[in-house]
Amino acid sequence: MSAEATSRRDTATTASRMRLLRREFTTAPRPAPTQFVDDPRTAAPRSRTSPAHSPAPMDLGVLDHVIAAVTEVIEHTLAVAPDAGPAPTMPDEVYQWAATATSTAGPGEQQARDTIIYRQGLEHAIAMGEDTVIRRHPCPQCGTYGLLWQSAARRAVCVHTRCTTRDGGPTSWSLAQLARHHVAATNSSARRAT
């Protein structure tokens, strides 16, 4: 598959993940079940408590994620192609707009665009709880498929016992590093094929 075809596929995948994230994961969180607490004043065994305020009509963390992602793509696109025109109003359409607006940019700018889009696709999947997308990537250091997502550290960690840092700990990678490695490898293999 050519680098251009892979870029189109990655752009479509990221747009699809954004669409799913926006539709399914910004809905209002389900109310917590009724909470019961012991009331020491009345010696009543259990009493009901009610929330002090209504829940937000949507998951604000996901909304912040969507806004940050769209803003990053728009800012990058306008920096590379100031005459790109207005960005689309639908968040998932911003990726195709960016790809089209920067299609005549130099290879370095296109690779930077593809890296942002691919990284955001990984971020969208992880935001939806689908951290297995990390397992599909080889470790940039040892090349094995032994990466696992560590949500607390927000990094992919290689579990191969011989793939360690200088101090003997496991190697770990940010999503940006995985995206750079993926896009560079795709572009390199496309150049070798021609």
Side-chain angles (χ1 to χ4, degrees):
M1 184 180 287
S2 72
E4 185 178 325
T6 302
S7 174
R8 280 195 306 271
R9 184 193 68 212
D10 292 344
T11 299
T13 299
T14 300
S16 171
R17 287 177 180 159
M18 171 66 88
R19 197 168 25 261
L20 181 62
L21 186 67
R22 190 177 54 81
R23 285 183 185 160
E24 301 296 327
F25 290 85
T26 57
T27 58
R30 292 191 175 115
T34 303
Q35 299 174 359
F36 293 95
V37 294
D38 291 327
D39 187 354
R41 293 173 288 149
T42 62
R46 313 269 287 154
S47 62
R48 290 180 172 241
T49 61
S50 58
H53 55 80
S54 338
M58 62 180 48
D59 187 329
L60 298 177
V62 174
L63 181 63
D64 288 344
H65 170 83
V66 169
I67 291 169
V70 169
T71 301
E72 180 185 19
V73 172
I74 291 172
E75 287 175 355
H76 175 79
T77 302
L78 293 176
V80 172
D83 58 345
T89 57
M90 297 303 291
D92 52 295
E93 294 173 359
V94 76
Y95 298 108
Q96 186 56 48
W97 169 78
T100 302
T102 59
S103 63
T104 59
E109 287 90 0
Q110 289 186 24
Q111 186 165 336
R113 173 205 64 211
D114 292 345
T115 300
I116 289 170
I117 291 173
Y118 193 80
R119 175 186 47 80
Q120 285 192 7
L122 294 175
E123 290 171 351
H124 300 340
I126 289 170
M128 292 185 285
E130 185 58 42
D131 61 7
T132 58
V133 295
I134 300 303
R135 296 181 194 163
R136 298 181 200 139
H137 295 84
C139 173
Q141 183 167 312
C142 70
T144 63
Y145 286 87
L147 294 178
L148 294 177
W149 181 248
Q150 296 289 316
S151 57
R154 303 230 10 105
R155 295 181 71 78
V157 176
C158 183
V159 297
H160 192 283
T161 57
R162 293 186 181 149
C163 187
T164 59
T165 60
R166 289 183 184 168
D167 61 353
T171 56
S172 66
W173 310 95
S174 68
L175 294 178
Q177 290 171 314
L178 288 180
R180 272 194 304 275
H181 185 261
H182 171 80
V183 171
T186 299
N187 291 343
S188 176
S189 64
R191 279 193 299 272
R192 283 193 309 262
T194 57

